[in-house]
Amino acid sequence: MTRRVLVTGGAGYIGSVIVDQLLERGLSVFVLDDLSTGHRDAVARRASFVQGNVGNGELVEALLGQERIDAIIHMAAFALVPESVAQPGKYVTNNVTAARVLLEAAVRAKIRRFVFSSSCAVYGHPAVIPITEDSPQAPVNPYGETKRDFEKLLADYGPRNGLGVVSLRYFNAAGATEQRGEDHDPETHLIPNILAVALGKQPAVSIFGTDYPTADGTAVRDYIHVVDIADAHVRALEVSLDSGAPVAVNLGTGAGQSVRQVVEVARRLTGRPIATVERARRPGDPPALVAAVQRAATVLGWRTKHSSLEEILESAWQWHRAHPQGYRGGGEGT
Ligand code: UDP
C-alpha cells in the first residue's frame, strides 16, 4: 500500500489536481517542483512543498530517504509541442536527462511504484485510429521523442531493479476543478485560448490547419477531463503488475473532436461569439489522435466520468471566469 507519495511537477496544471485527489484519499503528499512553469498557489497547503529540479540528485535522494517515500508520480517535464520544435535540447535535458537522475535515485531508495506522465505524442502520425498502446511509436516532434525515450528507459531499467512502472499516455488534458485550472505562459492550448477570446482577453482564436484529412478539415483530438486523468494516477499507484512487468496505458475517451467542434460547443456554452482566424498548420501537429481505451479499463478499472466536451468546457469556463489572471491574480491557497 502506498502511503507517502512524491509528485514531481505537482505545481503544474495536472499535477495540482493529482495532489488534491491523493490528499482526499488520506495519503501524505510531497511535491517537488522547480516552478519553471508551475505555480506555488496551485499546490494544496496540506502537501509538503520543495522547490527544486528532479535533476538535482542530492536533493532528490535526501527527499526520498528522509520522507520515506514509497511511490513517485513523475509529472515534472516541459510539455509544449511548438516549443519542443524550436528548442529540442531544452526538452532532452529536462524530460530525459534530469528524469533519469530521479529514476536512479528511485531505484536506490527502493521505491515500489513509479507512475510516469507520458503522452499520445509517442505515436506520431498513427496509421490506425483509435490508437492502441501497441501501435508503432514514431513521434513527429521532439516532445514526443522525449516521452518515448524516457518511457523506454523506465521500462528497461525500473522493473529489473524492483520498481513497478506504469506509464500513462495522456491524450488532450482539459477542464478544471473549482480550485485548479490551466494557466500557462505563453498559453498554446486550444481550450484556454478559446476561453480567452470568450472573456474578451484576445480578439480571435487561431484555427491551425483547415486542410487536414478530417471531416471538417481541422485537427481531431481526444479531450479528457483533468479530474479523470488524476483519478487514473491514483489507481495506477495500486494496480498489481503482471510479474512486475512495466505497463503503458492510454488515457482518453475513445472519441475525437475537431477544432471547429470545440469552438462550436464553446460558443453555445458561453453564449459569446468567439471569433476565429484560419491559419496554416502548426509544425509537429498530427491530423488526428484518438485513444483506444480498452487497456485502461482492464488494467486500471478506469473509465472517464467527466470528459464530455460540455463538462470539460463548462468547468474550464467557470475557472477562467473566476481567475481571469490565472494564479497571478491570487490562487485559492487551499
Ligand atoms: N489549436 C488551434 N488553435 C490554438 C491552439 C491549438 O487550432 O490556438 C489546435 C492545434 O493545432 C491542435 C489542437 O488544436 O490541432 C490541439 O492543440 P493543443 O495545443 O491544445 O494540444 P496538443 O494536441 O498540441 O497537445
Side-chain angles (χ1 to χ4, degrees), residues 35 59 62 71 106 108 124 138 143 147 155 191 211 234 263 268 287 290 322 326:
L35 298 182
L59 175 69
R108 276 197 296 278
Y143 167 65
K147 290 289 168 182
I191 290 178
D211 58 350
V234 177
V263 173
R268 182 155 50 76
V290 179

Side-chain angles (χ1 to χ4, degrees), residues 149-172:
D149 291 352
F150 189 67
E151 246 197 52
K152 185 159 185 333
L153 201 65
L154 195 54
D156 289 347
Y157 181 76
R160 275 198 280 128
N161 291 285
L163 188 65
V165 167
V166 183
S167 290
L168 299 176
R169 296 179 182 156
Y170 321 156
F171 283 62
N172 285 60

Side-chain angles (χ1 to χ4, degrees), residues 200-233:
K201 289 166 60 184
Q202 298 290 336
V205 65
S206 300
I207 297 185
F208 294 128
T210 52
D211 58 350
Y212 283 109
T214 59
D216 67 16
T218 65
V220 168
R221 295 288 182 273
D222 186 343
Y223 294 91
I224 172 169
H225 200 298
V226 63
V227 165
D228 285 330
I229 294 189
D231 176 47
H233 288 74

Side-chain angles (χ1 to χ4, degrees), residues 13 27 172 180 199 218 232 289 311 326:
Y13 165 47
L27 289 132
N172 285 60
R180 322 282 176 220
L199 276 175
T218 65
L289 293 170
E311 187 167 345

Side-chain angles (χ1 to χ4, degrees), residues 71-155:
I72 296 174
I73 297 179
H74 175 46
M75 311 284 304
F78 294 132
L80 299 179
V81 169
E83 184 185 58
S84 81
V85 174
Q87 300 177 62
K90 174 176 171 179
Y91 276 66
V92 174
T93 302
N94 198 41
N95 296 6
V96 184
T97 314
R100 185 186 188 126
V101 172
L102 174 71
L103 170 58
E104 285 167 359
V107 165
R108 276 197 296 278
K110 303 201 173 2
I111 301 295
R112 50 173 289 277
R113 178 61 47 95
F114 195 108
V115 179
F116 174 50
S117 159
S118 189
S119 167
C120 62
V122 300
Y123 300 116
H125 287 250
V128 181
I129 297 278
I131 310 167
T132 66
E133 289 84 350
D134 298 324
S135 304
Q137 292 187 30
V140 291
N141 51 59
Y143 167 65
E145 284 168 10
T146 63
K147 290 289 168 182
R148 176 201 58 193
D149 291 352
F150 189 67
E151 246 197 52
K152 185 159 185 333
L153 201 65
L154 195 54

